Amino acid sequence: MAPLVSTSTVAEHANRDSCWIIVHNKVYDVTEFLAEHPGGSKIILKYAGKDATEAYEPIHPPDAITTNLPVEKQYVSRVFEKSRITHLFLSSIGAVDPATVAKVVKIVTEEDKRRQALLDSRPPLEEILNLHDFEVQRLSSIFLVLLINSVQAVAKKVLSEKAWAYYSSAADDEITIRENRGAYQRVWFRPRVLRDVSSVDWSTTILGQKSSLPVYISATALGKLGHADGELNLTRAAGRYGVIQMIPTLASCSFDEIVDAALPRQPLFLQLYVNRDRQITKKYVQHAEKRGVKGLFITVDAPQLGRREKDMRMKFVGDDAGAKVQEGQSDIKKNEGVARAIMPIILKGISTPEDAILALEAGCQGIVLSNHGGRQLDTARSGLENLIEVVAALKKRGPWPNPHFSVFVDGGVRRASDVLKALALGASAVGIGRGFLYSFCAYGQEGVEKAIEILRVSTGLRCDGCVFLIG
């Protein structure tokens, strides 16, 4: 039985040379982990000698420490990084002695009151007309008295400042994230007329899986920062409306929690950051295959964390944070790990025709034209702008259309007309990340369902003279 440790003893280990923290009433020595933590050492040192549970829970799955226990270790932390899944063996010092724990009275702060007032003043869902409204929407008349009739962001106002900074931040001057949206606004339709559009059908197949829309829910990290149910809001709404969710490596909910929340035979994709330890990646991918995941989207545009200054100012990650996926990889065998996966493999983060052709010739089943939501390299072009050149190169290379190779696009999609533009330019389907993220931050599962309904009832197909999609 693990020994009981007093809180005063824990408090003695509150520096870089000896760093203990409390998580879920257990004490861990994380001294050797400081240099490895993806978010930098400073955030851990902030809680050195203290209870870190409240900061730990929104960011890590509940089984992050206890999952995959090796026989030779009592506790193992499965920490998800931007570029890998890192197994770090932590010494469990013991359980906290309950006799030494001071009773904490939860104080409702002015910030808590402010956020609750904003939650109470959200517009009713029937007033949400598009995906922009989840981000920017006029609040109820009661709260307008305080805000002097200004237009405010629903998600931004109900989120904590750190959560909003993390979700909305992008690299450097945030030019790319703005241009992701602007790219769609520079594409114009040439509609056909005098056609029978009395009945239209948005349904399609994505990697062989049926979908009610040519849209999938793209992976976004740390859902519990915005809502207590985190990514489960997406899973449940996707199952109800026949849309495919991509499970993020950096989810706040555990992988198995998300899969367990899905309906029977509900298709799911998995987004993957490849670990420098290929055996860890292999184990993770094989487990996903056993659980029935239908597609593996490997992120390839994040060799290091982008410089997201909004996030840095809020100190969500330390100055020493960063994913360094390529360190120590000179001796790695490139033919191991995910290359042996059974499910379709998609490379997420392609930007050029040259890399698109390489992915095709390497035997991948598709690519995602993406700039990581503008979070990696600022002034990188949007996926939509790259789509035209990539499709031209694939047509020249042939065959095109290629039933064995899909081209997806994400970044900046907020309207069904955006989806239609991408499809018209050659995309197989599009991914929406922040749009769905903000919808559940503001309204939970009902918000996600509303977002899907908005996309489904669009007049874009009918007004453009289309009745169904080829896919």
Side-chain angles (χ1 to χ4, degrees):
M1 182 176 178
L4 295 179
V5 183
S6 69
T7 54
S8 60
T9 299
V10 176
E12 294 173 1
H13 300 268
N15 54 65
R16 187 176 292 275
D17 295 326
S18 182
C19 182
W20 293 8
I21 61 172
I22 301 170
V23 177
H24 296 141
N25 295 319
K26 290 185 174 62
V27 183
Y28 295 92
D29 182 353
V30 296
T31 308
E32 296 181 5
F33 182 51
L34 292 174
E36 288 287 327
H37 186 236
S41 61
K42 291 182 180 179
I43 187 64
I44 297 181
L45 289 170
K46 178 180 178 181
Y47 294 95
K50 303 174 185 177
D51 192 331
T53 304
E54 189 171 343
Y56 171 93
E57 281 191 327
I59 301 172
H60 305 85
D63 61 351
I65 293 180
T66 58
T67 296
N68 297 327
L69 300 178
V71 176
E72 69 275 15
K73 295 287 181 176
Q74 187 174 4
Y75 290 95
V76 60
S77 175
R78 189 164 180 256
V79 183
F80 292 103
E81 178 175 335
K82 272 291 179 190
S83 60
R84 65 184 193 271
I85 308 169
T86 305
H87 277 240
L88 179 79
F89 300 119
L90 302 178
S91 300
S92 176
I93 305 301
V96 176
D97 185 350
T100 68
V101 178
K103 186 176 181 180
V104 177
V105 178
K106 177 66 175 178
I107 299 175
V108 179
T109 65
E110 290 302 314
E111 175 64 15
D112 293 333
K113 294 177 182 179
R114 185 188 71 85
R115 290 188 63 201
Q116 187 58 52
L118 287 160
L119 281 168
D120 294 341
S121 66
R122 291 170 302 174
L125 265 178
E126 56 265 25
E127 292 185 12
I128 300 295
L129 303 180
N130 56 65
L131 269 63
H132 291 295
D133 285 351
F134 290 112
E135 298 176 61
V136 182
Q137 170 70 26
R138 196 175 300 277
L139 298 180
S140 68
S141 56
I142 295 175
F143 203 70
L144 285 175
V145 175
L146 300 176
L147 293 178
I148 318 176
N149 202 37
S150 61
V151 176
Q152 300 293 324
V154 178
K156 180 179 181 180
K157 289 299 178 181
V158 301
L159 288 168
S160 69
E161 289 185 1
K162 286 190 176 181
W164 175 255
Y166 180 76
Y167 287 155
S168 66
S169 64
D172 296 340
D173 295 312
E174 301 193 347
I175 295 170
T176 289
I177 189 174
R178 294 194 298 271
E179 284 300 300
N180 279 351
R181 180 75 203 116
Y184 283 93
Q185 297 171 334
R186 290 190 292 272
V187 175
W188 301 82
F189 287 118
R190 297 174 65 246
R192 299 298 302 272
V193 297
L194 297 177
R195 295 192 170 195
D196 182 1
V197 291
S198 56
S199 178
V200 298
D201 184 6
W202 271 107
S203 66
T204 187
T205 58
I206 303 176
L207 298 179
Q209 305 302 313
K210 292 181 179 180
S211 177
S212 64
L213 289 169
V215 171
Y216 59 86
I217 300 174
S218 194
T220 52
L222 309 187
K224 284 188 178 180
L225 284 176
H227 191 280
D229 288 341
E231 294 79 12
L232 299 184
N233 291 298
L234 300 170
T235 310
R236 294 162 181 157
R240 184 177 179 188
Y241 281 83
V243 175
I244 303 174
Q245 177 193 12
M246 184 191 299
I247 302 173
T249 294
L250 288 168
S252 292
C253 300
S254 72
F255 172 82
D256 286 314
E257 272 187 305
I258 295 171
V259 176
D260 290 343
L263 297 175
R265 295 180 295 280
Q266 177 181 337
L268 295 166
F269 297 150
L270 175 65
Q271 175 269 331
L272 177 71
Y273 290 111
V274 176
N275 194 304
R276 68 181 69 177
D277 184 340
R278 294 298 193 262
Q279 290 305 310
I280 294 173
T281 298
K282 180 179 179 180
K283 183 177 180 180
Y284 188 45
V285 171
Q286 288 178 337
H287 179 64
E289 286 184 321
K290 289 179 181 178
R291 293 304 312 266
V293 168
K294 301 302 182 183
L296 185 65
F297 287 67
I298 304 173
T299 296
V300 295
D301 61 354
Q304 184 166 337
L305 196 67
R307 186 176 176 84
R308 303 161 194 173
E309 295 176 5
K310 188 190 302 181
D311 206 11
M312 294 166 68
R313 289 191 178 96
M314 294 305 300
K315 300 298 182 183
F316 189 84
V317 297
D319 297 336
D320 54 345
K324 300 172 184 177
V325 66
Q326 294 179 345
E327 283 188 0
Q329 295 201 34
S330 59
D331 59 343
I332 286 176
K333 296 179 180 179
K334 304 299 183 181
N335 62 343
E336 295 182 353
V338 296
R340 298 180 182 272
I342 299 172
M343 67 185 105
I345 294 177
I346 312 299
L347 299 188
K348 183 178 184 295
I350 297 297
S351 296
T352 66
E354 294 84 356
D355 284 341
I357 296 298
L358 287 174
L360 172 64
E361 294 178 345
C364 294
Q365 282 71 51
I367 55 175
V368 183
L369 301 180
S370 171
N371 53 40
H372 215 101
R375 292 165 73 83
Q376 285 299 103
L377 178 64
D378 201 21
T379 68
R381 288 207 306 176
S382 71
L384 186 73
E385 289 171 315
N386 290 327
L387 177 62
I388 298 171
E389 291 181 0
V390 167
V391 168
L394 290 171
K395 285 181 178 179
K396 183 177 180 180
R397 164 65 169 72
W400 184 267
N402 187 338
H404 305 296
F405 192 80
S406 298
V407 178
F408 305 114
V409 177
D410 69 21
V413 178
R414 292 295 185 274
R415 293 186 178 274
S417 57
D418 299 334
V419 177
L420 194 55
K421 289 174 182 179
L423 298 178
L425 292 174
S428 306
V430 304
I432 299 178
R434 284 189 178 96
F436 288 123
L437 172 68
Y438 292 141
S439 69
F440 80 69
C441 288
Y443 295 93
Q445 179 183 338
E446 289 184 348
V448 183
E449 293 176 356
K450 179 67 173 181
I452 296 172
E453 289 175 358
I454 288 170
L455 294 171
R456 289 178 63 181
V457 300
S458 167
T459 61
L461 268 182
R462 186 171 283 113
C463 290
D464 206 40
C466 301
V467 294
F468 64 90
L469 303 174
I470 299 175

